[in-house]
Amino acid sequence: MMKTRKAFVLAAFCLIIVDLACAQSTEDKVTQYVNPFIGTGAVNGSSLSGNTYPGATSPFGMVQLSPDTRDEPEWDAACGYNYNDKTIAGFSHTHLSGTGAPDFFDILFMPTTGQVHTRAGNANEPNSGYRSRFSHSEESARAGYYQVKLLDYNINAELTTGTHTGFHKYTFPKNSDAHVVIDLDHSLKKPNWGCKVIDAQFKVINEFTIEGYRVITGWAKLRKIYFHAEFSKPITNQIIADGGTVFQNNAVVNGTDLRAVLDFDTKDEKPLLIKIGISAVSTNNARFNMQQEIPHWDFNLAVAQADDVWEKELSKIKISGTKDQKQIFYTSLYHAFIQPNTLSDVNGEYPSINYTIRTGRQYSTFSLWDTYRGAHPLYTLVQPARTADFVNSMIRQYEDYGYLPIWQLWGQENYCMIGNHSIPVIVDAVLKGIPGINRRRAYNAIKASSTVSHPGSPFDIWEKYKYIPENKLSQSVSVTLEMAYDDWCVAQLAKELGETDDYNHFMERSQFYKNLYDTQTGFFRARDDKGNWLTPFNPLQYGGNGGNPYTEGNAWQYFWYVPQNISSLVELTGGKQAFDNKLDSFFTITATHGEVNGNASGFIGQYAHGNEPSHHVTYLYNYAGQPWKTQYYVSKVLTDLYTNNSAGYSGNDDCGEMSAWYVFSAMGFYPVNPASGIYDIGTPLLSKAALKMPNGKMFTMIAKNISKENIYIQAAKLNGKDYQLTYITQQDLEAGSTLEFTMGSRPNKKWGVPKTK
């Protein structure tokens, strides 16, 4: 009896210890700081918020299972969800995060009760369709999990995911007339981007299983999306509608406007569980993806598994700071890790850009005009294996299509934006020695993509005029500046491989930007093919995406875009003092001219943090010998233009680029030239950051005396030795160094030795 009692006490004590260990483990998890609602909707009149979605996804996953508050999303809710909306149309399985154009929204599911509806209805007319009201007080989200109460139906909906699999849990009222709507017509607003459903199919396999596909064209051309769905309860009845034609209990229905309504028994209180695998190749692959990723029916286990996967990825950077700083930081890292998206199936099959089926680890969703600046350099540090897969995915497009991606979506090229910024991504990865990339194969791809003319990159014009004339191609100033940078990148890999003639040729082309510099106005300006300056000229006038020499910006914002040779830009300006004065003007001129482009937001003078062309400019005071001004403006952006609410970003997150700027800058540095392996020092926001490098070593940043007021670097040490440079290198990071700052409330104008990079 005594032994039994002792054993019981010992067992109870062990359980307490285990419980305490679990509690401690949960408390230490970084996933607790992820707030997926950051960036989901503007507040207080702010123009942009981030355009992110709150739903469940896995790191770099194919499935992004999230609520759509719009039946036909447009650019103002390109992710499908806006925090300010009052109703939900359903939960679709693919989304874009932070983009300026909408697409995807594939395979929408929506649980309902009562009257059967096959249309989402009008958001402003209650009970007009299958959509439902919701309240943020009964909505929650974290990494890999989303939950909302559908108020019109009293249904609690919960979502989680695997890489290719969505897992739904619907808790219906007991004894209700329960339905699940599956909408294969739900998409971006038709006919925007030429959007239309070309073909779709439902196939009822048995009382527990339905599968199908749709072929749709839009921003991404001719996408094929297959799905396989299994239910934990039997389907008791089903109708399928193709537009106004209704089919009762048909096993197969094909059409272009398909919706299915499936009925389920709710006599017991068990929730309805649904697992949906998707694929870009076949329904067989969709089923296999689901079976491999979530073979069980334990929803809570799937949620825990999703959390574990996110914890592993986000823990690659450990930080110390306030709760708000941690939430913004880890949500930014989370947003950066949502894409590029897996395109290949579990068995490795994927659709090539030429519509053949290939095998390999393939990714897509390459928003390169945005992400080459900060997100891809970040991936080289914390996602090296995936970086190799990203690069090889880009190279495969060249080999199947003739040139590298510009903006690739679901494996298809949409030619959005300018330049060819696969090039700096590839060059940066190769020069950093990322394993798994064939250097010669990579060089062949970037060289060919820099010599064969294709939409947005007219190399015959480039070589003939040594700039882009506006009457030959609009957005000419921006195109000239960005192509010059890409050419510099090609030259660096040519030099590495001993291709001397190529190196000299591309280095010459990398200086073509000088041919658009107007010494009279002090700006890069447009010329025609006769060499004449285009008039009238106002450096404050904005361009959008055509019809103007500047892309989503103006002459002020594009003046600073010579990241490959900032010392040359300083000389063009008239020296360091003139460069510094121009930067001062840039950050203080508030006047605008005419209509400001919708992508311009987050203003500090003419600096517009809400769009990428400005992102590196806060760091340029380092090149004028006044790094304390870089520290001031970097700190201002970090603290004023990122918040822990639905309006958390000052502009579209653009597939994680806005987030990557924060991740880098909060740690105290940023890649002004993203293919150089050099990181300019700004000012740290965090008291400590530890970054696990691919080689297993730790790079640590420490900021002593950091506070809201103490934003200026008083002194710095690298590995215990005084450090006066305004940058660190890739070699410093890989060595496992410790960078230590001492912070103060006033500028130390003696710290920081100007250094040409």
Side-chain angles (χ1 to χ4, degrees):
M1 180 71 178
M2 194 66 175
K3 286 183 178 180
T4 303
R5 180 179 177 85
K6 284 182 177 179
F8 175 79
V9 171
L10 180 60
F13 179 75
C14 291
L15 286 174
I16 292 171
I17 295 297
V18 170
D19 286 345
L20 287 173
C22 291
Q24 181 66 38
S25 175
T26 301
E27 183 179 333
D28 290 343
K29 279 195 166 188
V30 299
T31 51
Q32 69 179 302
Y33 298 111
V34 174
N35 175 9
F37 290 108
I38 290 177
T40 57
V43 296
N44 300 325
S46 60
S47 60
L48 294 170
S49 64
N51 220 340
T52 59
Y53 59 80
T57 190
S58 300
F60 307 98
M62 177 182 282
V63 167
Q64 305 88 34
L65 181 51
S66 188
D68 291 338
T69 59
R70 309 285 176 90
D71 185 41
E72 294 184 309
E74 297 186 72
W75 69 271
D76 59 335
C79 66
Y81 178 98
N82 188 300
Y83 193 82
N84 299 296
D85 290 341
K86 306 300 182 185
T87 62
I88 287 174
F91 310 105
S92 60
H93 287 75
T94 57
H95 292 84
L96 294 172
S97 182
T99 57
D103 209 346
F104 288 5
F105 317 114
D106 296 307
I107 322 299
L108 180 138
F109 275 59
M110 181 63 173
T112 69
T113 61
Q115 184 179 356
V116 173
H117 294 283
T118 59
R119 297 280 178 180
N122 192 320
N124 299 317
E125 297 178 15
N127 303 316
S128 67
Y130 61 68
R131 69 170 57 249
S132 173
R133 292 171 299 131
F134 76 107
S135 169
H136 295 307
S137 65
E138 297 186 84
E139 181 187 33
S140 63
R142 58 183 185 269
Y145 174 81
Y146 174 84
Q147 171 274 328
V148 69
K149 189 71 169 288
L150 299 173
L151 300 179
D152 288 334
Y153 306 119
N154 193 26
I155 297 170
N156 190 54
E158 300 174 80
L159 312 172
T160 191
T161 66
T163 299
H164 305 79
T165 309
F167 199 172
H168 303 234
K169 179 182 179 182
Y170 300 151
T171 304
F172 291 91
K174 188 176 181 180
N175 293 320
S176 60
D177 294 326
H179 321 291
V180 173
V181 179
I182 309 175
D183 191 337
L184 298 188
D185 188 58
H186 178 70
S187 70
L188 68 98
K189 186 175 179 63
K190 303 177 184 74
N192 294 359
W193 299 95
C195 180
K196 66 177 180 179
V197 175
I198 296 170
D199 187 30
Q201 182 189 84
F202 282 117
K203 180 183 289 186
V204 180
I205 305 301
N206 55 49
E207 60 182 343
F208 291 97
T209 309
I210 188 170
E211 62 186 26
Y213 66 84
R214 77 170 177 181
V215 181
I216 186 171
T217 194
W219 193 25
K221 306 305 177 188
L222 199 60
R223 293 190 304 117
K224 299 179 181 180
I225 308 96
Y226 300 86
F227 78 95
H228 173 89
E230 296 185 3
F231 303 87
S232 63
K233 294 184 176 185
I235 302 166
T236 60
N237 185 64
Q238 52 95 354
I239 65 170
I240 299 174
D242 182 16
T245 304
V246 177
F247 301 88
Q248 187 79 31
N249 292 319
N250 277 36
V252 178
V253 177
N254 291 72
T256 58
D257 189 11
L258 293 186
R259 294 166 188 83
V261 182
L262 313 179
D263 297 346
F264 296 90
D265 193 336
T266 57
K267 291 178 182 178
D268 60 40
E269 296 182 352
K270 293 181 180 179
L272 175 65
L273 303 177
I274 314 171
K275 297 187 295 185
I276 299 102
I278 70 169
S279 166
V281 173
S282 68
T283 53
N284 284 338
N285 280 13
R287 182 179 66 252
F288 185 71
N289 291 340
M290 184 202 72
Q291 292 170 341
Q292 294 299 306
E293 290 175 355
I294 307 181
H296 56 80
W297 284 98
D298 189 333
F299 183 82
N300 291 335
L301 174 61
V303 171
Q305 290 171 334
D307 182 78
D308 288 344
V309 171
W310 274 113
E311 180 69 22
K312 178 183 176 182
E313 298 299 335
L314 298 177
S315 294
K316 292 176 179 179
I317 305 179
K318 290 291 186 72
I319 66 168
S320 299
T322 68
K323 182 179 179 180
D324 261 10
Q325 289 170 349
K326 288 182 177 180
Q327 287 185 324
I328 297 171
F329 183 92
Y330 282 114
T331 304
S332 293
L333 196 58
Y334 164 83
H335 281 144
F337 287 179
I338 286 177
Q339 63 289 295
N341 299 124
T342 300
L343 186 65
S344 50
D345 291 323
V346 171
N347 65 8
E349 291 183 340
Y350 71 92
S352 173
I353 192 170
N354 61 12
Y355 297 103
T356 59
I357 302 302
R358 305 273 180 141
T359 302
R361 288 194 301 271
Q362 188 75 6
Y363 287 81
S364 190
T365 317
F366 290 119
S367 182
L368 290 159
W369 185 80
D370 309 292
T371 55
Y372 85 94
R373 303 167 197 262
H376 279 283
L378 179 64
Y379 300 147
T380 65
L381 302 181
V382 292
Q383 297 287 347
R386 282 195 172 95
T387 291
D389 290 340
F390 299 159
V391 167
N392 288 326
S393 296
M394 295 176 194
I395 293 172
R396 291 187 194 109
Q397 172 171 317
Y398 156 70
E399 292 173 343
D400 287 342
Y401 201 56
Y403 52 87
L404 291 164
I406 297 170
W407 215 125
Q408 192 203 83
L409 192 57
W410 203 260
Q412 292 300 310
E413 182 58 64
N414 64 28
Y415 309 111
C416 189
M417 306 308 297
I418 61 172
N420 196 332
H421 298 314
S422 297
I423 292 170
V425 171
I426 293 171
V427 170
D428 183 44
V430 172
L431 294 183
K432 285 176 178 174
I434 299 292
I437 304 170
N438 183 295
R439 304 196 323 167
R440 179 57 61 177
R441 183 180 176 216
Y443 183 69
N444 290 341
I446 66 171
K447 180 181 177 182
S449 297
S450 300
T451 53
V452 178
S453 295
H454 52 81
S457 297
F459 294 111
D460 51 344
I461 296 173
W462 185 234
E463 296 273 10
K464 178 178 179 179
Y465 296 99
K466 302 187 185 337
Y467 64 91
I468 299 297
E470 179 68 16
N471 60 326
K472 295 292 184 180
L473 181 69
S474 189
Q475 307 175 68
S476 60
V477 176
S478 296
V479 172
T480 294
L481 292 166
E482 296 197 22
M483 285 176 64
Y485 175 67
D486 290 341
D487 283 345
W488 180 88
C489 294
V490 179
Q492 304 317 299
L493 189 51
K495 182 179 180 180
E496 177 74 9
L497 297 179
E499 300 287 351
T500 304
D501 290 343
D502 285 351
Y503 170 76
N504 292 332
H505 178 67
F506 285 107
M507 281 299 290
E508 179 185 1
R509 283 187 8 178
S510 76
Q511 300 182 60
F512 285 179
Y513 67 89
K514 295 178 181 179
N515 297 325
L516 292 187
Y517 184 71
D518 176 18
T519 57
Q520 296 299 312
T521 63
F523 288 97
F524 295 106
R525 289 182 57 188
R527 294 181 186 267
D528 62 20
D529 58 350
K530 301 296 190 294
N532 302 312
W533 298 116
L534 268 60
T535 57
F537 171 72
N538 187 318
L540 296 171
Q541 185 172 4
Y542 268 80
N545 299 97
N548 186 282
Y550 305 95
T551 301
E552 296 186 7
N554 62 21
W556 267 108
Q557 286 147 12
Y558 259 97
F559 174 79
W560 315 100
Y561 193 80
V562 189
Q564 71 273 26
N565 198 345
I566 297 173
S567 60
S568 172
L569 183 61
V570 171
E571 293 174 8
L572 281 178
T573 312
K576 289 184 179 180
Q577 188 59 56
F579 190 73
D580 176 73
N581 292 342
K582 191 148 192 167
L583 278 169
D584 287 346
S585 297
F586 178 68
F587 283 103
T588 55
I589 293 175
T590 58
T592 59
H593 175 80
E595 182 181 355
V596 174
N597 182 269
N599 286 290
S601 56
F603 282 100
I604 304 173
Q606 285 300 300
Y607 178 86
H609 192 71
N611 207 23
E612 282 70 23
S614 289
H615 273 191
H616 66 295
V617 185
T618 51
Y619 288 85
L620 296 188
Y621 280 109
N622 286 351
Y623 297 80
Q626 298 190 348
W628 62 91
K629 292 183 180 177
T630 280
Q631 295 157 35
Y632 171 81
Y633 283 114
V634 168
S635 175
K636 185 173 180 62
V637 174
L638 284 167
T639 56
D640 292 356
L641 298 180
Y642 290 84
T643 59
N644 186 18
N645 59 31
S646 66
Y649 298 103
S650 58
N652 290 333
D653 190 35
D654 287 319
C655 292
E657 178 56 31
M658 195 77 66
S659 293
W661 190 97
Y662 186 92
V663 170
F664 268 124
S665 296
M667 294 191 294
F669 51 93
Y670 180 79
V672 168
N673 178 342
S676 67
I678 292 172
Y679 305 89
D680 279 83
I681 292 172
T683 189
L685 179 71
L686 307 167
S687 57
K688 185 177 180 181
L691 174 64
K692 187 174 182 179
M693 297 299 295
N695 60 10
K697 296 184 178 181
M698 297 295 296
F699 174 82
T700 304
M701 184 284 297
I702 299 171
K704 294 183 176 179
N705 304 326
I706 191 74
S707 70
K708 185 177 180 180
E709 295 77 22
N710 293 351
I711 65 171
Y712 294 105
I713 298 171
Q714 306 299 299
K717 291 184 178 181
L718 185 65
N719 297 326
K721 297 181 180 180
D722 287 343
Y723 195 72
Q724 287 289 323
L725 302 180
T726 57
Y727 66 92
I728 55 175
T729 67
Q730 180 71 12
Q731 289 73 27
D732 294 328
L733 298 178
E734 290 174 350
S737 304
T738 297
L739 179 62
E740 183 180 301
F741 297 110
T742 300
M743 309 302 295
S745 60
R746 294 186 177 183
N748 175 7
K749 297 183 180 180
K750 295 182 180 179
W751 181 84
V753 176
K755 184 73 174 179
T756 300
K757 305 174 184 65

